[in-house]
Each structure stands twice: as C-alpha cells, then as structure tokens.
Amino acid sequence: VPYTTHADLGGRQGLGPVVHDTEGSVFHAAWESRVLALTLAMGASGCWNIDMMRAARETLPDYLNLSYYQIWLGGLEALLVAKDLVTAEELAGGRDRYPPRPVSQVLTADQVAARLARGSPTVRPPTAPARYRLGQRVVTCATPADHHTRLPAYLRGRTGVIERVLGPHVFADSHAQGLGEDPQWLYTVVFEARELWDIAAAPGHRVSFDAWQPYLEPV
Amino acid sequence: VTLPADTEIRVWDSTAEVRYLVIPERPAGTDRLDEEALSTLVTRDSMIGTGLARSPAET
C-alpha cells in the first residue's frame, strides 16, 4: 500500500473557512482533554515515538473530516491496534476482553507536570559538519516521499536560501519509519513567495521553512 | 487584521522541531505602561502572528 498523507494541505484551496476560537479557549469538550491525557500517557509508554504518531494521524482515511482531537484519537486507536495493545473488537465494544499487555514505561499522574515542562527536545550533538552555510542557495527535493515527511508538496523542487543553521535534530522521516533518530542538520530556508505561488503572491513576501539536510541539494 | 501596505509579511512553516512565538508589536500609547500592564494586552493571536496586541482602550 503506498503511503498517503492527508495532512499536506499547504496552498490547497476550497477547504472552507478557518474557524477562529475565542481567545483563551483550550478544549471544546471534556472528551478532548481526556484524549490529550491518553495520548500523553501512551506516548510515554515507549510503544512508539511522536513521529510514528504523526504518521498514524496523517494517514487516517477520513482525516479531512475530523477535528483536531478526533485526529489525535484516531491516531492513538490506530497505533494501539497496530501494536496489539487493543483489538479493534475491544475498541468497537468499549470494554477490554483480553488482559492488558505490559508496556515498558508507565507515566503516573504525579510525573505529568514535569514531563510536560521538560518537553521533548530533538536537538542532538553534531557528528559531522553542516553541509550548507548561511546565505547559500539550495533546492529542495522534487520527489514525493513514500513515508512520513515534513517537506510539503508546495515546497518540493523550489529554490531558497539558507537563513539559519539550527543544528542536528532527530530526522522525522527516519524516526517515523522506526529507523532510529538518525539526526540530520536542520536549517531554516527562506523562499520568495513568488517562487512558490507565482504571481498569486505579493512581491517581497517570503516563506521560511525548517528543512533537514537530506531535503536539500546545492544549486 | 488590517495592516499598513508597507508591512512585510513573513510566513514561518514550522516542522515542529523548533517552535516559534511572535513578540507582539508594542501598541501605540503604551510608553508609560510597565511590564505587568503590558502583559494584559498580549493575546494568543498576537503571539502566533495572526493578530495584533490589544490597545489600552480595548481592555
């Protein structure tokens, strides 16, 4: 089955208006906060990593019809089933039918605040020098990936300039495929909006994007 | 949001490894406000680049 993301929406038209939530609103309903808690707890279990979760979410077939936390729940359910922690029958029935399988780490309530405050930094020590320097012109990979990637379609095969060198970071493409952290240099690349959107863009507007080194080739 | 024609628009499409926030532009007429008073003018939207901070008249 080819990999299909439904989340690569940059530049797409016709998706309806952006619904503007009022300042200070966090959850629309109590179930959303439970989905956040479940996702956090299971994310800490060591059964998968955050990039595998992002892949699970963006490949949900009905992604475009789901709200933010519906997508989170769908991704969680997909991974729970894929890892044999829950069966589809149990999810449909709303109750467990088999003994729970052990996981390597259990996040307890007293650890949650510290865990959230710590975050999950992805920066790693360098093992090789950066290939690109500030101000260098680069072109992005033109070929669609058949796995989770952060290079959106609207930025494929486009020429930009290295604007910042951000250090090596966990490479989401590898991490999502279970190939380890595979840290790669991350850069901010700036593109002229007209390079991306042609005359539909106002002259002088620019788009900055954080790209890992494997997405880039020298011009 | 209405901006002057000479405002440069910069879009940051974050890949999530580095998170960004916007330092809101200081509203007019706030020269005498201290940090605490200014903080009441800061909004979520003004820190994600989709709105301006409140003016003192709005609070």
Side-chain angles (χ1 to χ4, degrees), chain A residues 20-21 23 150 154 206 208, chain B residues 11 13 15 17 44-45:
Chain A
H20 191 261
D21 290 333
E23 188 77 28
R150 302 289 173 71
Y154 82 90
R206 287 179 285 169
S208 292
Chain B
V11 174
D13 189 346
T15 47
E17 273 45 50
R44 174 198 61 196
D45 288 352

Side-chain angles (χ1 to χ4, degrees), chain A residues 42 48 75-87 91:
Chain A
M42 286 311 299
W48 50 75
L76 179 61
E77 291 180 350
L79 284 181
L80 285 169
V81 171
K83 301 292 180 186
D84 287 329
L85 294 170
V86 174
T87 66
L91 280 177

